[in-house]
Amino acid sequence: MILQCIPAISPLDPLSGILPLVFVLIISMVREGIEDYRRHLDDCQANSQPVRVLTNAPQSQSKLDQHKDEVKKKSPEFNTDFPSCYEIVRAQDLIVGQVVLLFEDEIFPADLLLLGSSDKDNKAYIETAMLDGEKNLKKREVNPTINALSRHDRFVFHGKVICESPTHELDRFGGVILSRNVKMPVTDKQCLMKGAKLKSTDWVTAVVSYTGRETKLMLNSSAGRLKQSKIEKIMNQLIILILLIQIFLCLVAAILAAVFQYNYASEHYYLQFTDSTGKVFIINFFSYFLLLNTLIPISLIVTIEVVKFIHIFLMQWDIFCYKNSRFLKVSTCTIIEELGQVRYIFSDKTGTLTSNKMELKALRIYNVNYGDQSFYDSNPVPIKRRLSKRITNELEFGFSDEAMCDHLAFENPPDSPTQYSVITPGGRTYELRSEKARIEEFLKLLATCHDVSSTHVPDSEYRLYSGQSPDEVCLVDAAQRLGCSFIDNRTNTLTVRHSFSVKNSVQESKVQLLYSMPFTSKRARMSVIIRDEDGTLKLYCKGSDERLKKLLKASEEMKRTDPILLETDRYLDAAATKGLRTLYMGMKVLDEEEYSAWMGKVEELERFIPDNEAEAVKKRADLEELMEAMENGLTYLGASVVEDKLQDNVENTIYNLGKAGVQVWMITGDKMGTAKSIGLSCKMFTTGDMDIVEIGERYISKQKQFVDGKTSEADHIEEAQILADIEVQAAEAKSCGKKLGLLITGTLVEHMVKSNKSKEQFISFAKTCTAVVCCRTTASQKAAVVRAMKEACPGEITLSIGDGGNDVPMINEAHVGVGIYGKEGMQAAQAADFAVGEFQVLWNLLMIHGRVAYIRIAELILYFFYKNVVFTMPQFFYAFFSFFSGQSFYDDWYIVCYNLVFTSIPLGLKALFEIDIHHIKDNLLPLNRVYPYLYYQGQGNQIFNTKTMIFYLVYGLFHSCITFFLPLAFVWNTIITEDGKTPDYCIFNLISMTTTVIVVTLKLFNYERFFNWVNLLGFAIFGFGLYILIQWISQFSSIFKVYRSIKTLYSSPIYYLSVLVCCCLIYAVDHFIAVWNFHVNATPNDFCRLWTTRFNPIDTEENLRRLKKLDAITRGVQLPSPPIIHDDDEKEGLQPEDS
């Protein structure tokens, strides 16, 4: 733009160069300005939120009433019923240490520490949907040692808060409150986070702990994802290539200009050459740099942005993507075309492939099995009587067992033949002599060892439970149906109602909750320490069998030989092979001395305030070590079996993704048997035509090692054996013509993808598999697998999909992240690029929107460069006829309108509405059977690659030669009108310009595959109508160089003849190339279009076999058995054999 303002260099009007740039910048600024303004309004609303703050100088009642009236006008919902010891300030003016008062349904304006509550038990309930998407209420409680506020209008507490540095972790907070030399620890149980909402509590008082950017909400908010698609990266490389070509052409023109002046300046003295040869070279180089700058279209980027911006609304409005009461949500619009290029999908299991609707199927309490045993016993005892079946909170209860009912009905149950006893470290024995006692103890564990909240259901004997884990909710609800109901948790006292006797007498017991050890993905278990009504100290624990078996009191030898433990292992393995979810239960009876000593260490650790992150990490590690020490020495109590059914259409979705050449990896934390069963259920694995390679614990051996003079055992992975086995399995499968499936544990897959020795060979084998299932994986292992595949296949697009917080690392690691609105919160949906209601939406997302987006964006970019080459190269050709003087061939304002109006708008409309095979209009086309065969275009990047880029550039050069040299031949030494007028420079460039506009528009029209009134109006108005209008404006406006030339042009037969000949010649060549490609290089896309245009049903088995063969030929895949191709293929006009 600066060069264009220098008269000695620029051959163009400076305004003609400034206007396009300003136009592009204005569009970008308007789009971004709208988004920024919306964010600004949201920020102002949040910052202006009125807050009641305790003041040492109470206001007069009249002044306070006036202030309340002002606030009420701006915020009608604001509660002004509060005493005069509070004043109203804006949220942005809050200061750490201020005490605030909040009422129900109000949003917390900063991170706060709870001091008082309207609840008689000093509890408060909050909703954190804005932070983690969870709508389940979370309980907060006032520290028992703080008796700060008995009323919200009387504050008698004086103290000092010391807390650790701000952290983004929502469930982490550490600090103490100092009051009168007494240290009172505060944890996340007293933390009220900014953005959360007060629920089911009339009012709370709290002290401000963090404000502004130090709040957890702000620490968890990240800048918008700036992802760049694969196509855009290639486009940037193409722009660099075009820039180098432009520089080369400028050098050629500048050198020839200098040579011409040096050799012929004396012969053409009338041109008055006064500049030196070097100066001529420099001036002409920059002059032609300006003339040829249209090779790089500045409007391309903004056109792509606008097209993608509108496209995401079309995606979000798609009714076929509406599942589970949720529409598709697009958070990152820059990578929508990569949805059409996905090669690998990494999926979680629970809540992603399964529905996360849990139903209790069976229980094993010590050595007795209850419930549905069809998964374990080939001849199960028929069930004679069922317990009540109700649906509460989307939980269907179908558990039934007559024997359990009989045991619970006993008033004086007999002793069981098998004794169950728990021995404390002090030597005290706790015995459960009867089956009834064991059942009651097991149900009490289910009713107390959890983190769910309870709500009374009017006119019902049952209570409604809600929590973060559907498993926990299911088990607590099951305990309620079996006679042991969790009522509430007040002042750390669990109220449990049970009715086990035949008389159905209801009794309530108060169980004191002393300490809760929460579930984490690393611990894979939850424990609680309670004091029973009789004063017995117990620790209940539930979690994965793999983790809990390591904590059992029994020796390693006993674990391998104890018949009850061995039978339990077989029981859980049988459940896992059927795809059922299992949990292990254990308990421990504590001595008072043991508990007191342990609790003293925990309280001391909780009072410690770390000064830096390293100390904070050490504090958490020490706390986890203390928890594990207390949990060690458990006694096995029982296990549960829960069914989680697959979501709708998961099998068909995965099957069709496989037909599209997409490899699906299921990465789950379940046992190998469960993972394999789910793999078979959802058709990732198939029987008969697939060999499943299982790589499990047998490849891990124990080896002794010496560390710091101590001997210990460490896991050793047999890499060589794994590689040898998979090589043998691959050879056998290949010889039998079978497909391969891989089932591997998370520990092994993480080791293999990180090993320098085996990584390449292992990933090469995994790529040959039809499906891969990784089991027993952690969140970090999920991300490691995705990262390894990205590094091993740099040209392939990966997609991760999950529904939980532990899936976020995997989602962030993939090229495309998809989150599911799950029952475990919306962390995955918030962190992902796309959010969907169910897994089956992936079919529409990839096969429809992704494939179409790839076609649209790829063709948009290619056509942009093509049309600019056609338009720009005549500027270079004209240099040879203007003695390289730097004169522009076109009128300045025609140059502006060409890129901004004549060609950009029709092309943008095509990119918005282009559909090669309409999935609604062509209703004869069954999508789930045909569309997978059309997905190859994006995966192989067949539209936008080096070959097609060169073709479009060469094709554009060919068309530019025709649009320049043919009109030149027509006007060379000829008379163009009846009155004897000869053509001048203006007539010549107008003929060439007209030919160029008509050619590029007709070519765009010819390649259009779906017409609607918007496209047609775009071609008619912007492609032709506005061009004719601009021509007639230039006839009467002197700002155009072609002023008063249009009338002469329109009266010349040469004009119409030259345009007609050029267009016919170009169209003939285009048609020949199209026909050649269709008959010689037919694709599945051509096949489908041929059949749908003839209104023939394509879903016949015969046509599908043809399509499958054609797809395999296009991909370069050898089919295991050739499909039947009939002789009438030639009659139908398509010959796959010739492809």
Side-chain angles (χ1 to χ4, degrees):
M1 190 170 70
I2 296 175
L3 291 175
Q4 204 153 344
C5 295
I6 302 176
I9 293 177
S10 176
L12 303 172
D13 187 335
L15 196 59
S16 67
I18 295 173
L19 281 180
L21 181 61
V22 171
F23 176 77
V24 170
L25 292 177
I26 287 176
I27 292 179
S28 297
M29 289 170 61
V30 168
R31 184 184 64 81
E32 295 179 6
I34 292 173
E35 295 177 358
D36 290 342
Y37 181 69
R38 288 175 179 172
R39 283 193 291 266
H40 172 71
L41 292 179
D42 293 339
D43 291 343
C44 289
Q45 183 178 0
N47 292 334
S48 301
Q49 175 187 348
V51 185
R52 308 164 200 83
V53 176
L54 187 70
T55 177
N56 292 325
Q59 306 176 70
S60 63
Q61 191 62 42
S62 60
K63 187 176 181 180
L64 181 61
D65 291 341
Q66 182 182 356
H67 198 179
K68 288 181 179 180
D69 292 339
E70 294 175 358
V71 173
K72 200 70 175 177
K73 291 178 181 178
K74 297 180 181 179
S75 305
E77 71 283 354
F78 184 72
N79 189 337
T80 55
D81 184 17
F82 59 89
S84 60
C85 58
Y86 290 90
E87 63 177 351
I88 301 175
V89 301
R90 292 184 301 177
Q92 65 184 23
D93 298 325
L94 282 178
I95 302 173
V96 172
Q98 289 181 323
V99 175
V100 299
L101 170 67
L102 295 112
F103 291 97
E104 186 176 5
D105 290 329
E106 290 185 347
I107 296 175
F108 302 132
D111 282 0
L112 313 170
L113 289 178
L114 182 63
L115 295 178
S117 168
S118 61
D119 186 79
K120 63 180 181 179
D121 297 315
N122 282 328
K123 297 186 184 300
Y125 296 90
I126 65 173
E127 180 186 283
T128 59
M130 190 179 295
L131 288 93
D132 56 13
E134 295 181 10
K135 293 189 176 181
N136 297 319
L137 299 186
K138 295 181 175 61
K139 181 178 63 180
R140 295 293 185 264
E141 50 194 42
V142 181
N143 189 297
T145 56
I146 299 177
N147 192 11
L149 292 177
S150 57
R151 292 163 55 91
H152 66 276
D153 57 350
R154 185 181 63 190
F155 191 83
V156 295
F157 176 77
H158 297 278
K160 181 180 180 181
V161 179
I162 302 175
C163 51
E164 62 184 29
S165 300
T167 174
H168 70 283
E169 298 177 42
L170 299 180
D171 57 352
R172 172 186 159 193
F173 184 87
V176 294
I177 294 180
L178 298 177
S179 179
R180 299 174 184 176
N181 298 323
V182 177
K183 285 187 176 182
M184 294 164 284
V186 287
T187 65
D188 58 299
K189 291 297 183 182
Q190 288 81 45
C191 184
L192 308 177
M193 296 159 288
K194 178 179 180 178
K197 183 182 292 187
L198 183 65
K199 303 292 288 186
S200 302
T201 310
D202 293 337
W203 57 264
V204 294
T205 53
V207 60
V208 179
S209 57
Y210 302 119
T211 60
R213 296 187 180 276
E214 294 183 343
T215 59
K216 293 184 183 294
L217 177 66
M218 296 302 295
L219 291 174
N220 277 282
S221 61
S222 57
R225 287 178 288 272
L226 298 176
K227 288 189 175 182
Q228 191 177 38
S229 68
K230 180 180 177 181
I231 284 185
E232 288 182 346
K233 293 176 182 177
I234 299 175
M235 182 188 71
N236 292 337
Q237 297 173 359
L238 178 59
I239 289 176
I240 294 175
L241 174 63
I242 298 294
L243 178 62
L244 294 176
I245 294 174
Q246 179 182 347
I247 292 174
F248 172 74
L249 294 177
C250 293
L251 285 173
V252 171
I255 291 172
L256 292 177
V259 169
F260 173 80
Q261 177 170 329
Y262 182 80
N263 292 330
Y264 303 105
S266 57
E267 297 180 16
H268 300 85
Y269 62 89
Y270 54 88
L271 294 177
Q272 298 180 359
F273 292 112
T274 58
D275 296 332
S276 63
T277 304
K279 185 177 180 180
V280 169
F281 172 84
I282 294 174
I283 291 176
N284 277 272
F285 175 83
F286 288 109
S287 295
Y288 279 102
F289 191 83
L290 293 175
L291 290 174
L292 302 179
N293 71 348
T294 50
L295 278 174
I296 303 176
I298 61 173
S299 58
L300 172 60
I301 304 299
V302 70
T303 303
I304 293 176
E305 285 185 359
V306 172
V307 167
K308 289 184 177 181
F309 185 71
I310 298 176
H311 196 163
I312 65 172
F313 287 101
L314 300 178
M315 293 171 64
Q316 292 177 148
W317 294 337
D318 184 4
I319 192 64
F320 294 105
C321 293
Y322 179 79
K323 298 295 179 183
N324 199 17
S325 302
R326 295 280 190 174
F327 277 102
L328 167 67
K329 177 187 174 185
V330 181
S331 301
T332 308
C333 67
T334 56
I335 58 171
I336 57 173
E337 66 270 26
E338 289 197 338
L339 292 171
Q341 299 179 276
V342 174
R343 179 73 70 177
Y344 300 100
I345 291 179
F346 301 90
S347 173
D348 179 41
K349 180 187 78 71
T350 305
T352 303
L353 300 179
T354 60
S355 60
N356 224 349
K357 293 181 180 178
M358 309 297 178
E359 180 182 357
L360 181 67
K361 298 293 288 184
L363 294 174
R364 178 174 172 83
I365 302 177
Y366 196 48
N367 63 332
V368 181
N369 303 331
Y370 300 102
D372 184 0
Q373 303 300 314
S374 58
F375 66 89
Y376 184 63
D377 190 351
S378 58
N379 297 304
V381 177
I383 297 173
K384 298 181 180 179
R385 183 165 61 89
R386 294 178 63 86
L387 298 179
S388 62
K389 182 175 181 179
R390 293 172 178 264
I391 296 178
T392 302
N393 197 26
E394 297 185 343
L395 289 173
E396 183 172 350
F397 185 75
F399 179 89
S400 60
D401 192 281
E402 183 180 359
M404 176 179 283
C405 295
D406 294 339
H407 285 306
L408 292 175
F410 279 120
E411 288 291 337
N412 299 302
D415 290 347
S416 171
T418 307
Q419 296 301 312
Y420 181 90
S421 60
V422 181
I423 303 175
T424 69
R428 188 163 59 93
T429 302
Y430 179 82
E431 291 185 330
L432 300 174
R433 296 179 179 275
S434 65
E435 295 291 345
K436 178 179 180 179
R438 296 172 193 171
I439 296 172
E440 291 179 353
E441 192 75 36
F442 186 89
L443 295 179
K444 186 179 287 186
L445 183 151
L446 297 183
T448 56
C449 185
H450 57 77
D451 189 24
V452 305
S453 58
S454 168
T455 306
H456 174 66
V457 179
D459 302 324
S460 174
E461 60 185 46
Y462 293 105
R463 300 186 70 84
L464 183 66
Y465 300 112
S466 60
Q468 300 180 39
S469 170
D471 292 83
E472 275 196 333
V473 174
C474 173
L475 293 176
V476 176
D477 183 75
Q480 172 182 224
R481 307 307 181 89
L482 295 172
C484 188
S485 304
F486 164 66
I487 304 302
D488 55 38
N489 178 7
R490 296 179 179 273
T491 61
N492 290 330
T493 301
L494 300 172
T495 303
V496 179
R497 180 183 298 156
H498 47 82
S499 55
F500 295 131
S501 68
V502 72
K503 297 178 181 179
N504 200 28
S505 59
V506 179
Q507 300 176 357
E508 284 193 2
S509 61
K510 303 291 185 180
V511 178
Q512 187 179 1
L513 177 63
L514 301 177
Y515 196 81
S516 176
M517 307 175 202
F519 175 91
T520 64
S521 57
K522 181 180 179 181
R523 282 168 40 80
R525 61 187 181 276
M526 178 188 180
S527 300
V528 294
I529 299 176
I530 65 169
R531 187 185 298 277
D532 221 335
E533 275 195 320
D534 59 2
T536 305
L537 283 171
K538 298 178 183 177
L539 183 146
Y540 287 144
C541 184
K542 67 179 181 185
S544 74
D545 57 336
E546 184 182 24
R547 298 295 178 88
L548 260 68
K549 282 192 290 187
K550 295 178 181 179
L551 300 173
L552 292 181
K553 188 175 182 180
S555 63
E556 292 298 326
E557 180 63 28
M558 179 177 261
K559 292 176 187 177
R560 290 192 291 267
T561 58
D562 185 274
I564 294 178
L565 295 180
L566 291 176
E567 182 68 16
T568 301
D569 289 342
R570 288 192 291 269
Y571 186 81
L572 297 182
D573 288 341
T577 56
K578 298 296 183 181
L580 303 174
R581 299 170 62 84
T582 60
L583 278 179
Y584 215 75
M585 317 292 176
M587 67 174 293
K588 182 179 179 181
V589 178
L590 310 176
D591 291 320
E592 289 287 348
E593 297 78 8
E594 178 189 11
Y595 167 72
S596 299
W598 180 83
M599 197 63 197
K601 295 178 182 179
V602 171
E603 290 177 349
E604 181 182 358
L605 191 60
E606 288 181 343
R607 284 193 294 267
F608 171 71
I609 307 299
D611 294 327
N612 50 54
E613 185 62 25
E615 289 185 357
V617 171
K618 185 177 184 303
K619 175 183 176 179
R620 292 197 298 273
D622 292 343
L623 187 58
E624 288 181 2
E625 187 177 337
L626 281 174
M627 291 180 183
E628 185 168 344
M630 174 56 75
E631 292 168 329
N632 200 23
L634 292 173
T635 300
Y636 159 72
L637 180 59
S640 64
V641 178
V642 175
E643 182 181 19
D644 185 12
K645 296 180 181 179
L646 288 176
Q647 292 182 12
D648 294 337
N649 291 325
V650 166
E651 308 97 315
N652 291 334
T653 302
I654 291 179
Y655 177 71
N656 284 305
L657 288 172
K659 289 199 298 183
V662 180
Q663 188 187 56
V664 180
W665 290 49
M666 183 176 74
I667 309 180
T668 176
D670 288 324
K671 298 175 65 174
M672 181 172 281
T674 306
K676 182 178 180 181
S677 176
I678 295 296
L680 289 168
S681 300
C682 63
K683 294 186 179 180
M684 290 180 65
F685 293 155
T686 55
T687 56
D689 63 340
M690 176 182 287
D691 285 342
I692 301 175
V693 181
E694 298 185 20
I695 303 177
E697 301 298 329
R698 62 191 178 95
Y699 292 98
I700 302 177
S701 60
K702 297 288 185 180
Q703 287 192 353
K704 292 184 177 181
Q705 62 178 7
F706 296 91
V707 180
D708 297 331
K710 298 180 180 179
T711 304
S712 60
E713 287 189 343
D715 291 338
H716 174 71
I717 296 175
E718 305 289 347
E719 286 185 38
Q721 187 63 42
I722 292 175
L723 296 177
D725 287 353
I726 63 177
E727 188 175 347
V728 172
Q729 292 262 19
E732 291 178 357
K734 186 176 181 180
S735 63
C736 299
K738 290 186 175 182
K739 297 180 290 186
L740 280 171
L742 176 61
L743 177 62
I744 186 170
T745 62
T747 302
L748 289 172
V749 73
E750 183 182 29
H751 177 84
M752 298 297 285
V753 298
K754 290 182 177 179
S755 171
N756 294 327
K757 299 179 182 178
S758 58
K759 177 179 179 179
E760 184 177 348
Q761 186 176 348
F762 175 78
I763 290 182
S764 178
F765 170 75
K767 289 166 63 178
T768 63
C769 295
T770 303
V772 180
V773 174
C774 301
C775 57
R776 291 297 193 192
T777 54
T778 63
S780 60
Q781 289 172 342
K782 291 181 178 182
V785 171
V786 179
R787 190 182 309 113
M789 290 302 295
K790 281 175 60 180
E791 294 172 354
C793 312
E796 309 290 356
I797 302 299
T798 59
L799 181 148
S800 292
I801 180 170
D803 74 313
N806 61 333
D807 300 318
V808 171
M810 174 178 73
I811 289 172
N812 290 334
E813 188 62 48
H815 294 99
V816 180
V818 179
I820 291 182
Y821 295 105
K823 296 184 179 179
E824 299 179 7
M826 288 198 292
Q827 299 98 319
Q830 291 173 340
D833 304 303
F834 305 89
V836 298
E838 291 182 356
F839 183 84
Q840 62 176 315
V841 177
L842 271 188
W843 194 93
N844 278 78
L845 197 61
L846 270 60
M847 299 295 116
I848 304 296
H849 295 295
R851 194 182 74 86
V852 170
Y854 169 77
I855 295 173
R856 291 172 175 175
I857 299 301
E859 292 183 348
L860 169 69
I861 297 172
L862 289 173
Y863 194 84
F864 239 104
F865 283 104
Y866 154 78
K867 74 181 184 63
N868 278 39
V869 169
V870 175
F871 178 71
T872 305
M873 287 309 296
Q875 294 274 30
F876 181 72
F877 300 150
Y878 185 67
F880 290 88
F881 298 91
S882 63
F883 295 129
F884 309 99
S885 59
Q887 181 182 359
S888 174
F889 176 56
Y890 299 115
D891 186 284
D892 298 357
W893 295 104
Y894 278 71
I895 296 175
V896 174
C897 294
Y898 179 84
N899 271 325
L900 294 185
V901 181
F902 301 153
T903 56
S904 292
I905 296 179
L907 180 55
L909 293 175
K910 177 182 183 295
L912 281 175
F913 300 104
E914 171 71 320
I915 300 176
D916 55 346
I917 298 175
H918 201 293
H919 58 285
I920 298 177
K921 170 179 162 290
D922 299 327
N923 52 10
L924 294 177
L925 189 65
L927 303 183
N928 60 337
R929 306 187 72 188
V930 174
Y931 260 66
Y933 296 116
L934 308 179
Y935 195 69
Y936 69 95
Q937 290 174 299
Q939 284 181 327
N941 207 16
Q942 296 198 0
I943 296 178
F944 192 73
N945 52 46
T946 304
K947 180 181 177 181
T948 55
M949 285 188 295
I950 294 175
F951 173 78
Y952 269 81
L953 293 179
V954 173
Y955 209 43
L957 179 62
F958 166 66
H959 285 185
S960 67
C961 291
I962 294 178
T963 58
F964 181 84
F965 290 107
L966 267 182
L968 178 63
F970 274 103
V971 301
W972 191 266
N973 293 328
T974 187
I975 297 174
I976 62 170
T977 61
E978 294 180 353
D979 56 0
K981 291 184 180 179
T982 58
D984 58 5
Y985 149 78
C986 293
I987 295 297
F988 175 34
N989 77 57
L990 281 172
I991 295 176
S992 180
M993 181 73 187
T994 303
T995 304
T996 300
V997 171
I998 294 177
V999 163
V1000 298
T1001 304
L1002 283 180
K1003 181 175 176 62
L1004 187 65
F1005 186 85
N1006 189 42
Y1007 277 80
E1008 185 80 30
R1009 285 162 288 198
F1010 176 70
F1011 291 98
N1012 56 35
W1013 64 269
V1014 178
N1015 299 74
L1016 297 176
L1017 284 179
F1019 285 118
I1021 296 176
F1022 299 103
F1024 301 110
L1026 279 181
Y1027 177 71
I1028 296 173
L1029 178 63
I1030 292 295
Q1031 279 190 329
W1032 281 106
I1033 291 175
S1034 64
Q1035 168 69 20
F1036 304 103
S1037 176
S1038 59
I1039 66 170
F1040 292 89
K1041 293 179 181 179
V1042 294
Y1043 176 55
R1044 293 191 178 279
S1045 299
I1046 302 301
K1047 187 175 181 181
T1048 303
L1049 180 73
Y1050 274 57
S1051 63
S1052 171
I1054 298 295
Y1055 167 64
Y1056 300 103
L1057 179 63
S1058 58
V1059 171
L1060 180 63
V1061 171
C1062 290
C1063 292
C1064 289
L1065 177 60
I1066 290 174
Y1067 182 79
V1069 175
D1070 278 1
H1071 187 69
F1072 173 78
I1073 293 174
V1075 173
W1076 174 271
N1077 284 332
F1078 183 80
H1079 287 282
V1080 177
N1081 297 314
T1083 65
N1085 189 281
D1086 299 326
F1087 180 90
C1088 291
R1089 286 188 58 78
L1090 174 67
W1091 256 261
T1092 53
T1093 52
R1094 295 184 179 184
F1095 302 101
N1096 291 324
I1098 198 172
D1099 60 330
T1100 63
E1101 294 302 326
E1102 178 184 337
N1103 285 338
L1104 286 173
R1105 282 196 295 270
R1106 297 182 184 131
L1107 184 59
K1108 183 178 180 181
K1109 179 179 179 181
L1110 195 55
D1111 176 69
I1113 294 172
T1114 305
R1115 295 176 185 270
V1117 177
Q1118 182 64 40
L1119 290 175
S1121 58
I1124 301 173
I1125 305 295
H1126 294 275
D1127 295 334
D1128 62 345
D1129 284 335
E1130 184 174 355
K1131 297 178 183 178
E1132 298 289 349
L1134 184 68
Q1135 302 177 22
E1137 292 87 347
D1138 297 336
S1139 298

